[in-house]
């Protein structure tokens, strides 16, 4: 496995491998089995897998956890190598962004809801870094986790809007045995919070049942919200519980369509997000 830190070295590696099939797995590091599942699926579809490790300052708001985001490069290299990654690209922020940019990308669709609403500018930062990675790595395939379902929808919009010749491969959420979605931020939960955190997925599953048994999106949202509110005991607060058509992220839920039921909860030192995607039955 090669570790590449500069744009120059990445470009020369990319030129060397020519027409080989390349996949890209963009991450912020502190790898866990969710990331490794992306790598496994990337390996299956390409000759070379590039994993980027970069905590992107542009996608964090001023009062968010950029400084406290967990980082451990040596551990990430070891896990990446074991998983079969060919190249780890881990630039510094200066290397990637240099001086103040003269062009800015702004996402105009699918961001007035969910994390786009509670984290203004977040997805502008995401599409900026992902666009740069697409230009540098020139992947044929890029893997993204449905744990961040809004991110998948926004990136698919980016590819369509800017004509990137990249296929987006969606990867299902990897969970702990008790249902908690794997996340780099889980290490920042206290013991009491970690015990309580599986309620997020439990509540989503109850909401899913409401939808699959003919209940409305509003009924599912209310069910999830009530379950979370009844369980919170002051340990976390609910940021949002929302349901939208996927991937349009509009409230216009289609018969026979797919519904994204999504939650964000704020614990003391970690904001956790999770969701379920529900295929609606033909007849309701
Ligand atoms: P992050 O490092 O949190 O920015 O995540 C990098 C990529 O891994 C994103 O595409 C995430 O959606 C994906 N990812 C994070 N957690 C999981 C998980 N539990 N299961 C599947 N994919 C995940």
């Amino acid at each position: 496995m090669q570790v590449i830190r500069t744009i120059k070295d990445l470009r020369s590696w990319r030129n060397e491998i020519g027409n080989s099939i390349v996949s890209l797995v963009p991450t912020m590091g502190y790898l866990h089995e969710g990331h490794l599942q992306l790598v496994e699926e990337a390996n299956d579809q390409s000759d070379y897998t590039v994993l980027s490790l970069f905590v992107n300052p542009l996608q964090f708001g001023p009062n968010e956890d950029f400084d406290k985001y967990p980082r451990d490069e040596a551990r990430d290299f070891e896990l990446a190598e074991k998983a079969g990654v060919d190249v780890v690209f881990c630039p510094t922020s200066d290397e990637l962004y240099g001086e103040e940019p003269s062009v800015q990308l702004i996402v105009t669709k699918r961001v007035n809801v969910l994390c786009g609403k509670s984290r203004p500018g977040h997805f502008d930062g995401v599409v900026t870094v992902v666009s740069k990675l697409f230009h540098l790595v020139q992947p044929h395939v890029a893997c993204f986790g449905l744990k961040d379902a809004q991110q998948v929808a926004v990136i698919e919009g980016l590819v369509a809007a800017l004509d990137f010749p990249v296929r987006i491969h969606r990867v299902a959420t990897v969970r702990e045995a008790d249902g908690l979605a794997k996340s780099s931020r889980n290490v920042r939960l206290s013991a009491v919070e970690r015990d309580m955190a599986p309620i997020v997925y439990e509540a989503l599953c109850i909401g899913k049942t409401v939808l699959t048994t003919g209940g409305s999106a509003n009924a599912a949202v209310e069910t999830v919200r009530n379950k979370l509110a009844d369980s919170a005991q002051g340990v976390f607060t609910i940021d949002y519980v929302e349901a939208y058509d996927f991937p349009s992220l509009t409230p216009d839920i289609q018969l026979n369509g797919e519904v994204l039921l999504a939650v964000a909860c704020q614990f003391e030192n970690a904001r956790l997000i999770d969701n379920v995607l529900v295929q609606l039955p033909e007849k309701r």
Side-chain angles (χ1 to χ4, degrees), residues 28 55-62 64-66 69 119 185:
M28 297 202 299
V55 185
N56 175 29
L58 287 193
Q59 69 188 67
F60 287 79
E64 294 184 356
D65 58 350
F66 175 72
Y69 198 84
R119 303 183 68 188
R185 290 185 168 99

Side-chain angles (χ1 to χ4, degrees), residues 67-166:
D67 291 330
K68 290 191 201 141
Y69 198 84
R71 294 162 169 90
D72 188 340
E73 204 179 69
R75 176 179 166 277
D76 284 347
F77 290 169
E78 214 177 297
L79 288 169
E81 179 145 39
K82 263 195 213 136
V85 167
D86 297 285
V87 168
V88 172
F89 179 51
C90 45
T92 60
S93 189
D94 265 5
E95 175 68 14
L96 210 54
Y97 293 125
E99 295 162 14
E100 189 86 352
S102 55
V103 173
Q104 203 183 349
L105 290 178
I106 294 173
V107 186
T108 52
K109 269 196 181 161
R110 305 168 170 180
V111 286
N112 57 345
V113 296
L114 304 165
C115 290
K117 190 170 161 199
S118 35
R119 303 183 68 188
H122 168 69
F123 286 110
D124 299 339
V126 169
V127 297
T128 301
V129 76
V130 169
S131 298
K132 287 176 76 84
L133 291 169
F134 283 176
H135 285 305
L136 295 170
V137 177
Q138 298 170 42
H140 300 80
V141 184
C143 296
F144 287 88
L146 283 166
K147 152 92 169 24
D148 302 282
Q150 186 173 22
Q151 178 167 271
V152 169
V154 167
I155 296 294
E156 289 177 355
L158 169 74
V159 166
L162 298 190
D163 304 305
F164 281 109
V166 180

Side-chain angles (χ1 to χ4, degrees), residues 40 108 142 183 186 223 225 229 235:
E40 191 178 323
T108 52
S183 165
N186 289 350
T223 304
R225 197 193 306 279
V235 173

Side-chain angles (χ1 to χ4, degrees), residues 220-233:
V221 164
E222 278 319 298
T223 304
V224 174
R225 197 193 306 279
N226 290 337
K227 177 73 183 169
L228 290 172
D230 290 348
S231 316
Q233 294 171 34

